[in-house]
Amino acid sequence: MSDASIFSVVCVDVLVLCYDTEAREIRLGLHRRSAPPFEGEFALPGVIVKSGERLAHAACRAIDKLGLSPPARALGQLRTFDEPSRDPRGPSLSVAMWAVYPPETLSMPGPVWQSPSSAMGLAFDHDAIVVTGREILAALCWRDLTFTRALTGDRFTATDAVAITAQLTGRSVHRANLNRELARLDGLHEAGLAPAAGGRPPKIWRWDEATHAIA
């Protein structure tokens, strides 16, 4: 990027999310930058958008930096970040995207997985992208069913629902109120009770196959 550039470069930076069903924690995929600026520092995967390239394709190229080859369960757009000094190489805009991968992705080599709430000290303005992106995704959860189903998978427990909601919102969650909200969602049904070592077993929730199916 030239210091003499008078036009902003357009980038795509991706929040790659995965729900760890064993630990019941949302994970965010990061990588260490291999070149200046911020060489050796953790960052979201990102690329400069090529001429004529669609954002979704650029997002897939960015995700390649994590070594994740399977397609994401779902992909979407968050917002544009236009802080003039976000990149020391010159003016740039970042279109932030989200992508959700299945739990088995966590065992693949390549990404460094962290909690979105603890992923700080990142390169560029990626701290701000993570904080704002988390707020947007918290608003999407249980409203945007494409995003929600990608994160939960086809079946999940009420305990999973509480954990996902609490980690995105940063607030405690009332299980009974959340269960009532889930019962009103199109295409989501109760599917029995999950085994429990003690106390009241949590409900199992199941999405209809034909509703917002995961690719």
Side-chain angles (χ1 to χ4, degrees):
M1 190 183 301
S2 170
D3 291 337
S5 296
I6 59 173
F7 300 108
S8 292
V9 169
V10 178
C11 306
V12 162
D13 294 298
V14 188
L15 273 71
V16 178
L17 302 174
C18 183
Y19 180 62
D20 186 337
T21 53
E22 293 186 4
R24 292 196 171 95
E25 292 182 347
I26 297 173
R27 301 296 189 188
L28 175 68
L30 304 172
H31 74 110
R32 284 194 183 274
R33 286 185 53 79
S34 59
F38 306 108
E39 184 175 2
E41 296 187 23
F42 284 120
L44 298 171
V47 295
I48 294 174
V49 179
K50 298 178 180 179
S51 177
E53 185 177 30
R54 303 296 295 269
L55 293 177
H57 186 270
C60 290
R61 285 198 300 112
I63 294 169
D64 284 343
K65 292 186 175 183
L66 299 181
L68 301 180
S69 54
R73 279 179 164 176
L75 179 72
Q77 187 172 333
L78 290 167
R79 54 158 286 190
T80 299
F81 291 79
D82 61 354
E83 169 58 46
S85 60
R86 64 174 305 274
D87 190 330
R89 295 169 295 186
S92 71
L93 302 175
S94 173
V95 180
M97 309 279 287
W98 60 263
V100 179
Y101 274 76
E104 53 267 27
T105 306
L106 293 168
S107 63
M108 295 181 179
V112 174
W113 297 100
Q114 293 187 13
S115 165
S117 62
S118 63
M120 292 288 107
L122 305 180
F124 302 104
D125 59 345
H126 291 183
D127 285 357
I129 292 177
V130 171
V131 170
T132 302
R134 182 182 171 197
E135 294 173 352
I136 295 172
L137 293 174
L140 293 181
C141 191
W142 314 118
R143 291 169 178 81
D144 183 319
L145 299 190
T146 299
F147 165 70
T148 304
R149 180 170 175 174
L151 198 59
T152 65
D154 291 336
R155 293 166 63 93
F156 61 95
T157 68
T159 304
D160 293 319
V162 169
I164 288 170
T165 306
Q167 289 165 43
L168 287 177
T169 63
R171 299 190 297 270
S172 60
V173 178
H174 191 283
R175 183 187 297 257
N177 289 343
L178 181 56
N179 272 326
R180 283 192 285 270
E181 181 178 350
L182 299 183
R184 293 193 292 267
L185 295 182
D186 291 337
L188 185 64
H189 305 282
E190 291 186 34
L193 298 174
R200 186 175 180 180
K203 292 180 179 180
I204 297 174
W205 293 94
R206 175 182 57 80
W207 296 101
D208 284 346
E209 291 185 8
T211 304
H212 301 272
I214 297 171

